[in-house]
Amino acid sequence: MIGFLILFPLVIAAVLLFIKNNSVRTAIVCSAAAIIALATLVFCATNIATPGVYIEFSSQIIDYICALASILIGVCVIAFAIRYKNVWAGILAGVQLVASLVFEFAFAHGIHVTYGLYFDSLSVAMAFIIGIIGTGICVYALGYMEDFQREHADEKDRRPVFFAIMFLFLSAMYAVVFSNNMSWLFTAWEITTVCSFLLIGYTRTDEAIRNAFRQIIMNIAGGLGFSVALYFCAIALKTLSFYEFIALGAYTPALVVLPASALAFAGLTKAAQMPFHTWLLGAMVAPTPTSALLHSSTMVKAGVFMLVKLAPVFVVSMVPSMMVILVGGITFMLASFMAISQSNAKRVLAYSTIANLGLIVACAGVGTPEAIWAAIFLILFHAIAKSLLFLCVGTAEHHIGSRNIEDMDLLFERMPKLARLMMLGIMTMFIAPFGMLISKWATLVSLVEMNQVVLLVLLAFGSAATFMFWAKWLGKLSGIAAAQESVEVTVTKTEWVSLYLMAALIVLCCFFLPVISNYVVLPYIATVYANPTAALSDDILWITSILAVVVTLLLFVGLNRKAPKGKKASVYLAGVSADNANRVYVNAMSQRSEATVRNWYLESLFGESRIKPIGEISCTLIIIAAFAMSLASITAVF
């Protein structure tokens, strides 16, 4: 089944590359998505509560395929760097290519990894996110990209490439979560990087190309950190087994300080933590399905997956642990602050993603069973809610002509189904009794128990900012003034299928939160720690899960009910009205003014130009200090 999940999306990607007929492409994408989702559900159901299974599998053919993939990735990036005259991307890609080839043929070739593949309960949870949410986004992309191409009719139709990369992305992510051979893991890791590069630059505008290269430069830097860890493992530790590396680090932390810090650095770049957060903001120029895929089921989730896997090392190794905790905590607080100043919905979602990833990163750095319990739930609920929100914003943008939150006035009337789905996603992100707030509560409990005072302060201020920017958006959506003509009648069926899928996943995951805790999260913690502990009791989880379902039902009650017939009253404007239809009145200065409702964005306090340098400088210094201490520690050991 693992082989099928990795290879089948790869085959579909190769097929879609040559399919130009829209009807045929739709049939293939929908069928493939259904098969992948079904296979994923079967895999998850048959392996639920697994304590961890290591599969005896090694292959020189796969080793050579990985070496070939590294060459192709390097050549691809260098070719684009030459074409668009980006010197740094070309240099870094060249260094990465040489480092990969030297490692493969000079060091890795003699090291045998008996158990090349593995899975545990964390892998099962990640497979669920990739196979259900990822394929749902691919189905959504069918209708969205059809509208997108119609709006760009003067440009060449490159949808075959787009969908091929989407499925290649899914294949690479499965390889990331199932590979115990660190050489295979690294290849899949770099494939996600180049897929992201190609998707961000899909439109080939100057802005898209610039942001695509920003992403590739930052993530190749992280890839070089991964390479440092590989070299160290091969030369000093004589193993490329990820399991053996983690076990060795948990018992002799002084021996793995440098490779653990290097892998943590790779995870921080992939997870878009400061000072590398700008690549994820730049990714917003890509079509909405790309944004949803990067934020929910691929790319950034690979970064936090790596860091959560390294938690047993962090809990006993101070240097990489403090680097991860401080960078994650600072990123959470400052990204939440900057989200307050944004009115562009996709930038709000981007900053929210960066912030929540920071919280997951900080939990991984703490590394206790309670913190990891919270981190896994944060990963799950963030993936579902953020995919729903990105898809809702993409559909809204196509129908109201804007992604600005201030242009979403009366969306509750203009797009009643979509507005409710968007409100469900927003509520899931920041209020009780939905999953994200419950996970943050668990984070708070774990930090109090560990006396993490600094992180508690960062969490408190960041959470306050989170409440502010989500509440502003929710208020804008829920405003009702009068019956408005619905503009959502042209939303495609594939979009609705994906949107309702994400909404259903939110409700189901909220309702079965105690079940997920007992049969997915705790079994993983039991394989890593001797004393598996949930941050919150089952009684609390069942109460919140039932309340979440009740709130969701109340949100959607009366959705299809027709408005009662009666006389429509015009909008009342106190004072002298000049034009009620357009909400224009005569103000106290005898001038005509338009009555508007606008949120408060506090740009002077929370603007990017004010806050971003603080985060970038502080996190850069923390990373440099961590590597300096890691080198000093390794020098002392050897």
Side-chain angles (χ1 to χ4, degrees):
M1 184 63 78
I2 288 175
F4 177 81
L5 290 174
I6 294 173
L7 294 177
F8 183 70
L10 189 62
V11 172
I12 296 300
V15 172
L16 288 172
L17 198 58
F18 300 99
I19 301 299
K20 297 184 178 180
N21 182 278
N22 193 49
S23 299
V24 176
R25 177 170 49 244
T26 299
I28 292 174
V29 169
C30 290
S31 301
I35 292 170
I36 294 170
L38 180 60
T40 301
L41 288 175
V42 171
F43 174 80
C44 294
T46 54
N47 293 290
I48 194 168
T50 181
V53 177
Y54 288 81
I55 301 168
E56 190 171 341
F57 179 73
S58 59
S59 170
Q60 282 193 342
I61 295 175
I62 296 180
D63 292 339
Y64 288 127
I65 290 174
C66 288
L68 178 61
S70 296
I71 294 172
L72 292 176
I73 290 170
V75 170
C76 174
V77 177
I78 291 171
F80 276 105
I82 293 172
R83 179 178 177 181
Y84 292 101
K85 300 178 181 178
N86 193 300
V87 177
W88 277 110
I91 292 173
L92 288 174
V95 172
Q96 180 74 288
L97 176 59
V98 172
S100 297
L101 292 177
V102 171
F103 170 77
E104 182 63 37
F105 294 105
F107 298 101
H109 192 66
I111 298 177
H112 181 71
V113 180
T114 304
Y115 301 99
L117 299 173
Y118 82 106
F119 64 90
D120 52 27
S121 290
L122 179 58
S123 303
V124 170
M126 290 296 296
F128 178 84
I129 292 172
I130 299 163
I132 308 301
I133 299 175
T135 55
I137 294 169
C138 291
V139 172
Y140 171 89
L142 289 166
Y144 182 94
M145 293 305 292
E146 188 173 350
D147 290 341
F148 183 89
Q149 189 60 40
R150 191 179 300 116
E151 294 173 1
H152 299 79
D154 56 328
E155 299 177 10
K156 181 182 177 181
D157 187 353
R158 299 177 56 246
R159 282 179 289 174
V161 174
F162 181 87
F163 282 97
I165 297 172
M166 294 275 280
F167 277 89
L168 176 60
F169 224 143
L170 298 183
S171 174
M173 279 300 300
Y174 278 123
V176 166
V177 301
F178 290 135
S179 293
N180 182 54
N181 187 319
M182 294 177 71
S183 182
W184 300 354
L185 172 58
F186 176 67
T187 300
W189 183 273
E190 290 302 288
I191 290 174
T192 64
T193 296
V194 78
C195 284
S196 177
F197 169 72
L198 295 172
L199 287 173
I200 294 171
Y202 174 77
T203 59
R204 296 184 177 178
T205 62
D206 291 341
E207 184 181 14
I209 295 299
R210 183 171 60 254
N211 287 311
F213 275 111
R214 178 186 290 117
Q215 182 276 144
I216 202 75
I217 288 170
M218 290 183 175
N219 279 283
I220 288 180
L224 289 172
F226 203 129
S227 296
V228 169
L230 290 178
Y231 271 90
F232 189 94
C233 290
I235 297 170
L237 306 180
K238 305 299 181 184
T239 182
L240 288 175
S241 168
F242 198 28
Y243 168 77
E244 291 178 6
F245 170 78
I246 294 172
L248 188 63
Y251 288 103
T252 54
L255 197 61
V256 300
V257 171
L258 179 60
S261 298
L263 287 174
F265 174 73
L268 292 174
T269 58
K270 188 77 78 173
Q273 298 298 281
M274 288 184 169
F276 308 105
H277 67 291
T278 53
W279 79 256
L280 192 59
L281 292 171
M284 297 303 97
V285 302
T288 292
T290 296
S291 302
L293 199 67
L294 293 180
H295 286 246
S296 62
S297 58
T298 60
M299 197 61 176
V300 297
K301 290 301 185 288
V304 291
F305 170 77
M306 170 67 76
L307 293 168
V308 170
K309 291 295 292 184
L310 290 171
V313 180
F314 295 150
V315 79
V316 294
S317 185
M318 186 186 73
V319 174
S321 172
M322 291 308 298
M323 176 180 74
V324 171
I325 288 173
L326 291 175
V327 170
I330 291 170
T331 300
F332 171 68
M333 184 180 73
L334 296 186
S336 298
F337 284 167
M338 287 187 282
I340 293 175
S341 66
Q342 305 300 310
S343 61
N344 182 318
K346 287 186 75 173
R347 287 187 75 84
V348 173
L349 294 179
Y351 272 120
S352 168
T353 293
I354 295 165
N356 281 285
L357 291 173
L359 189 57
I360 297 168
V361 166
C363 287
V366 172
T368 61
E370 295 84 358
I372 298 306
W373 188 95
I376 295 174
F377 272 109
L378 285 169
I379 291 172
L380 177 64
F381 282 106
H382 178 265
I384 303 171
K386 198 53 66 69
S387 62
L388 175 61
L389 285 170
F390 266 108
L391 302 187
C392 285
V393 169
T395 298
E397 182 182 6
H398 274 178
H399 289 78
I400 67 174
S402 173
R403 64 176 64 159
N404 194 302
I405 293 172
E406 294 306 315
D407 294 328
M408 294 183 183
D409 279 314
L410 308 182
L411 197 68
F412 199 82
E413 296 294 325
R414 290 187 289 168
M415 303 188 76
K417 296 177 184 177
L418 189 78
R420 285 171 169 84
L421 291 171
M422 196 181 295
M423 292 168 70
L424 176 63
I426 291 174
M427 289 192 296
T428 303
M429 289 300 300
F430 88 108
I431 65 172
F434 292 97
M436 282 296 288
L437 190 71
I438 302 305
S439 302
K440 288 182 180 180
W441 180 11
T443 304
L444 184 65
V445 171
S446 65
L447 296 182
V448 169
E449 291 180 352
M450 289 296 293
N451 295 317
Q452 291 279 353
V453 178
V454 174
L455 200 51
L456 278 170
V457 172
L458 296 175
L459 176 62
F461 281 96
S463 296
T466 298
F467 186 90
M468 183 173 184
F469 68 75
W470 284 127
K472 289 191 301 180
W473 192 348
L474 186 63
K476 178 63 71 171
L477 289 174
S478 57
I480 301 174
Q484 299 286 315
E485 182 180 352
S486 176
V487 296
E488 68 181 7
V489 292
T490 57
V491 178
T492 62
K493 291 182 179 179
T494 54
E495 290 179 85
W496 282 128
V497 167
S498 299
L499 290 167
Y500 278 117
L501 170 65
M502 303 306 169
L505 288 176
I506 287 176
V507 178
L508 290 172
C509 287
C510 284
F511 182 73
F512 289 107
L513 203 152
V515 177
I516 297 171
S517 173
N518 291 324
Y519 292 97
V520 178
V521 182
L522 285 177
Y524 172 72
I525 295 174
T527 64
V528 179
Y529 303 94
N531 184 26
T533 307
L536 301 175
S537 68
D538 279 1
D539 292 342
I540 294 174
L541 297 181
W542 276 118
I543 292 171
T544 58
S545 65
I546 294 170
L547 288 174
V549 174
V550 172
V551 172
T552 304
L553 291 174
L554 291 174
L555 179 63
F556 286 89
V557 164
L559 177 59
N560 296 316
R561 188 179 301 169
K562 293 183 179 179
K565 294 182 179 180
K567 182 181 178 181
K568 291 184 180 179
S570 60
V571 175
Y572 174 71
L573 300 173
V576 180
S577 297
D579 184 354
N580 271 18
N582 293 311
R583 302 188 184 188
V584 176
Y585 65 98
V586 179
N587 62 28
M589 301 297 292
S590 298
Q591 297 172 331
R592 293 167 65 92
S593 297
E594 181 183 353
T596 60
V597 179
R598 186 178 187 275
N599 278 314
W600 200 15
Y601 290 98
L602 301 169
E603 291 92 342
S604 61
L605 293 175
F606 300 114
E608 293 169 302
S609 60
R610 176 182 288 269
I611 293 178
K612 187 173 75 168
I614 299 172
E616 290 179 338
I617 293 170
S618 58
C619 289
T620 300
L621 292 175
I622 290 168
I623 292 171
I624 292 172
F627 271 102
M629 287 187 284
S630 298
L631 288 170
S633 175
I634 289 298
T635 302
V637 171
F638 289 96

